[in-house]
């Protein structure tokens, strides 16, 4: 067994264990974190197949963005474990059928192409000059340009649609307008108040006796007199 | 002695040789990085101190030079308090999750065209992917602490980081459009030929956006709501001792990483700003020529200047309010980058500048 094969088997083992943990973990947050680990191991496997662009975009898109939002949602939810487990026996037949179907499909695909494991994959490895990014870019932007553009447009429609469905301007809440706030001027916020001064003789610190009587305005005088 | 060492080395199996060699390369990068992180904290306190007409740390060692070591020792001696009913495993995993990507991204940073651990073709994507993984440390820390304050702080910081990642990614899209490559070495080589060739001139708006997003991404002032002394909501409120220190190690390692990336993408990497204008005879003089010509020292100088800007910002601006942070990210920075990406595309396609660029 070569070094590469050891690495591949190691990563595959991590991936299988973490994928199993996604299903068996009791805590939903930990299940999501196991899913993140699964994605990460899948990306590592792709790197061993010299598909570094796919691997890095898997990490960038799924691990870096999608799963973060997933975690946000799952952390906020108050999930009742007992309620979730209540329907287990009801769903078991349907789930079992789906699982068996998927296993059968995988077996058919692997048998049909005379798949012979890791040896086949390692024979196809390109030389050091091979760039997965360049190859993918060349084929996406020439041969598959229309499907690529359509996929991009579908995503844009999804974004606009989701915003249009969820965004409603609530009439009761009051908004702050930062653009108005940051364009404020000194004249709006700052008021310089003229105060009457009093002189304190600092040479005798024991008792602060004003050397001159406090200058009082006529209105203050009137207030003092009334009290 | 050397002969014995060589025979020992040659007798090792192939995979072990590769492993040991790569391990050595990693140590050569990470060890100085850790020392830089320690002394960046010292530099920060000194520089901000002088900006605010204070002296800064000057008690431990001559002129306070041993202050970071004293700080590290203090943090190591402290107890790591585990909150009751917190998730032990995730609580201790979170600091590692935030430090790991900050260090792993250095694998593709080219110090010169030869001095790079892994010169991979999709280097720029790798850096983007790893900086986006760093957010897990924050989310997991907030959740595992089992505290409302930590959780709210984590949500806030994570939303901020995810928002600014988009502006950052688009700023880098401009860079890769002009350079025509995702390989960091090639991106720098595209900026050869003196100061006027640097990408910061044709991509000036993106340069500014990238720097601002970098500051926000590393949770530095004026975007440091994560730390927020005035409102005790931060993802690391429950952390103490070394676990807390690891978060700050990650923050400072990320700062240096962002500074390095800014230097590589926009400031010409290891190229000398003046070397290209000087006569070649001058560059052949042993020491002066080496100093004026291209080399790793220019990259280090550029990184230091960008880091100085980080510290300067912290000493100058008050903290942003949270809704202002979100507005700046989504409504100002992202539109600027989108427009400039279109401008670059037009320039490349329609004008003769396009041939100069590519």
């Amino acid at each position: 067994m070569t070094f590469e094969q050891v690495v591949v088997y190691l990563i595959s083992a991590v991936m299988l264990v973490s994928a199993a943990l996604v299903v068996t973990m009791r805590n939903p947050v930990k299940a999501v974190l196991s899913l993140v680990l699964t994605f990460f191991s899948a990306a590592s496997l792709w790197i061993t197949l010299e598909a570094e662009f796919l691997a890095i975009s898997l990490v960038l898109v799924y691990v870096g963005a999608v799963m973060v939002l997933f975690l946000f949602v799952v952390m906020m939810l108050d999930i009742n474990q007992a309620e979730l487990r209540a329907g287990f026996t009801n769903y078991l037949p349907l789930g079992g059928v789906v699982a068996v179907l998927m296993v059968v499909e995988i077996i058919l695909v692997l048998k049909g192409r005379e798949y012979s494991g890791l040896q086949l994959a390692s024979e196809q490895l390109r030389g050091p000059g091979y760039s997965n990014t360049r190859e993918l870019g060349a084929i996406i932007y020439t041969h598959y340009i229309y499907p690529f553009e359509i996929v991009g447009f579908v995503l844009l429609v999804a974004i606009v649609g989701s915003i249009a469905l969820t965004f409603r301007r609530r009439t009761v809440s009051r908004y702050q307008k930062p653009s108005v706030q940051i364009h404020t001027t000194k004249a709006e916020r700052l008021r310089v108040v003229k105060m009457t001064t009093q002189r304190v003789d600092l040479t005798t610190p024991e008792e602060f006796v004003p050397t001159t009587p406090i200058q009082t305005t006529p209105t203050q005088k009137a207030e003092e007199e009334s009290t | 002695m050397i002969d014995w060492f060589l025979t020992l080395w040659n007798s090792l199996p192939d995979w072990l040789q590769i492993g040991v060699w790569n391990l050595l390369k990693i140590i050569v990068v990470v060890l100085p990085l850790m020392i830089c992180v320690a002394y960046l904290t010292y530099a920060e306190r000194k520089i901000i101190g002088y900006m605010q007409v204070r002296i800064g740390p000057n008690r431990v060692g001559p002129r306070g030079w041993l202050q970071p070591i004293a700080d590290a020792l203090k943090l190591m001696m402290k107890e790591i308090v585990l909150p009751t009913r917190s998730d032990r495993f995730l609580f201790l995993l979170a600091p590692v999750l935030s430090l790991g990507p900050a260090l792993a991204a250095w694998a593709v940073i080219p110090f010169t065209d030869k001095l790079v651990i892994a010169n991979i073709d999709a280097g720029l994507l790798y850096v983007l992917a790893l900086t986006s993984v760093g957010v897990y440390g924050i989310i997991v820390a907030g959740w595992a602490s089992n505290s409302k304050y930590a959780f709210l702080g984590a949500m806030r910081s994570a939303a901020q980081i995810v928002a600014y990642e988009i502006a950052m990614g688009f700023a880098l899209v401009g860079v890769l459009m002009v350079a025509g490559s995702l390989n960091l070495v090639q991106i720098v080589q595209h900026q050869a030929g003196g100061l006027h060739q640097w990408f910061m001139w044709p991509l000036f708006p993106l340069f500014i956006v990238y720097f601002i997003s970098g500051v926000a991404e590393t949770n530095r002032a004026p975007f440091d709501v994560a730390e927020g002394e005035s409102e005790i909501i931060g993802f690391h409120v429950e952390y103490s001792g070394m676990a807390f220190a690891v978060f700050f190690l990650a923050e400072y390692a990320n700062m240096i990483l962002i500074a390095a990336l800014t230097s590589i993408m926009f400031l010409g990497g290891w190229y000398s700003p003046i070397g290209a204008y000087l006569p070649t005879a001058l560059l052949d003089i042993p020491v002066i020529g080496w100093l004026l010509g291209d080399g790793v020292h220019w990259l280090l100088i550029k990184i230091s200047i960008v880091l100085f800007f980080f510290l300067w910002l912290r000493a100058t601006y008050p903290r942003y309010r949270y809704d202002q942070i979100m507005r700046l990210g989504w409504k100002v920075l992202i539109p600027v980058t989108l427009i400039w990406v279109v401008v670059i595309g037009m320039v490349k396609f329609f004008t003769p500048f396009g041939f100069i660029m590519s």
Side-chain angles (χ1 to χ4, degrees), chain A residues 12-52:
Chain A
S12 313
V14 171
M15 188 175 166
L16 285 177
V17 170
S18 57
L21 284 179
V22 175
V23 191
T24 52
M25 272 285 180
R26 279 171 181 276
N27 192 322
V29 172
K30 284 190 176 175
V32 173
L33 287 174
S34 325
L35 189 56
V36 170
L37 184 59
T38 315
F39 278 134
F40 223 92
S41 339
S44 319
L45 273 185
W46 276 352
I47 280 183
T48 59
L49 292 171
E50 297 197 345
E52 82 270 2

Side-chain angles (χ1 to χ4, degrees), chain A residues 3 27 29-30 33 36 40 52-53 56 59-60 63-64 67-68 71-72 75-76 131 133 176 178-179 181-182, chain B residues 15 87 90 121-122 125-126 128-129 132-133 135-136 139-140 143 151 155 158-159 162 182 321 323-324 327:
Chain A
F3 181 56
N27 192 322
V29 172
K30 284 190 176 175
L33 287 174
V36 170
F40 223 92
E52 82 270 2
F53 182 80
I56 292 173
V59 173
L60 187 60
V63 177
M67 296 316 288
V68 172
L71 258 187
F72 261 51
M75 280 176 177
M76 299 278 204
S131 165
T133 317
Q176 281 181 330
S179 53
Q181 288 173 341
I182 60 174
Chain B
W15 58 270
D87 194 306
L90 288 181
D121 237 7
L125 274 178
Y126 174 84
L128 270 179
S132 70
V133 168
V135 71
Y136 279 99
I139 299 184
V140 170
W143 185 78
F151 184 64
M155 286 286 153
V162 169
L182 285 169
R321 212 172 57 205
D323 63 316
Q324 288 172 336
R327 176 180 163 273

Side-chain angles (χ1 to χ4, degrees), chain B residues 1-258:
Chain B
M1 179 68 196
I2 294 168
D3 277 349
W4 173 80
F5 192 75
L6 273 176
T7 46
L8 180 75
W9 176 252
N10 288 328
S11 65
L12 288 175
D14 219 21
W15 58 270
L16 199 63
Q17 276 188 2
I18 297 170
V20 169
W21 185 233
N22 279 328
L23 199 67
L24 277 177
K25 284 200 252 182
I26 290 167
I27 290 170
V28 164
V29 172
V30 168
L31 214 62
L33 181 68
M34 284 292 135
I35 294 167
C36 284
V37 165
Y39 276 88
L40 181 59
T41 60
Y42 172 74
E44 174 170 35
R45 292 169 68 179
K46 270 289 187 200
I47 289 170
I48 293 181
Y50 283 130
M51 281 179 179
Q52 296 166 346
V53 205
R54 295 183 285 115
I55 299 171
N58 66 344
R59 291 289 120 180
V60 191
R63 305 176 130 258
W65 284 336
L66 295 177
Q67 183 69 42
I69 292 158
D71 285 344
L73 272 177
K74 183 197 80 172
L75 284 163
M76 273 188 253
M77 295 297 163
K78 275 190 165 184
E79 184 191 357
I80 299 176
V81 182
L82 289 167
T84 42
R85 300 198 59 201
S86 67
D87 194 306
R88 255 186 103 92
F89 174 67
L90 288 181
F91 187 79
L92 294 176
L93 184 73
V96 181
L97 278 183
S98 66
L99 183 63
L103 295 182
W106 283 89
V108 294
I109 301 293
F111 294 96
T112 67
D113 47 358
K114 303 280 187 314
L115 264 174
V116 47
I117 295 181
N119 184 6
I120 63 171
D121 237 7
L124 197 124
L125 274 178
Y126 174 84
V127 167
L128 270 179
L130 277 181
T131 47
S132 70
V133 168
V135 71
Y136 279 99
I138 290 172
I139 299 184
V140 170
W143 185 78
S145 299
N146 195 24
S147 146
K148 285 189 182 71
Y149 293 112
F151 184 64
L152 285 172
M155 286 286 153
R156 222 159 64 148
S157 308
Q160 175 189 331
I161 288 175
V162 169
Y164 277 87
E165 233 166 59
I166 301 170
M168 212 169 182
F170 270 119
L172 295 185
V173 166
V175 172
L176 70 93
M177 278 174 81
V178 176
S181 174
L182 285 169
N183 187 319
L184 290 177
V185 174
Q186 282 174 22
I187 286 174
V188 178
Q189 280 170 348
H190 215 271
Q191 306 176 57
L195 189 65
H196 70 281
Q197 285 286 345
W198 292 359
F199 283 161
M200 68 175 285
W201 306 118
L203 302 175
F204 193 72
L206 297 186
F207 171 57
I208 300 295
V209 167
Y210 185 79
F211 182 68
I212 294 174
S213 326
V215 176
E217 187 82 359
T218 48
N219 282 327
R220 292 286 302 175
F223 301 97
D224 60 341
V225 288
E227 217 177 315
E229 304 98 331
S230 49
E231 63 250 40
I232 351 164
I233 296 187
F235 61 90
H236 44 45
V237 279
E238 300 289 344
Y239 281 86
S240 60
M242 207 53 209
F244 178 75
V246 169
F247 275 119
F248 271 83
L249 272 182
E251 183 182 315
Y252 281 85
N254 262 326
M255 253 168 86
I256 302 177
L257 177 73
I258 296 285

Side-chain angles (χ1 to χ4, degrees), chain A residues 73-102:
Chain A
V73 174
V74 169
M75 280 176 177
M76 299 278 204
L77 289 178
D78 184 23
I79 298 172
N80 190 348
Q81 289 293 323
E83 236 171 74
L84 270 182
R85 276 155 207 280
F88 182 72
T89 43
N90 291 346
Y91 295 122
L92 188 61
L94 186 66
V97 168
V98 172
V100 168
L101 267 178
M102 279 176 77

Side-chain angles (χ1 to χ4, degrees), chain B residues 282-300:
Chain B
L282 188 65
L283 294 180
D284 288 336
I285 304 169
V287 178
I288 301 167
W290 177 77
L291 281 175
L292 291 177
D294 312 329
V296 67
H297 56 289
W298 281 111
L299 182 66
L300 297 181

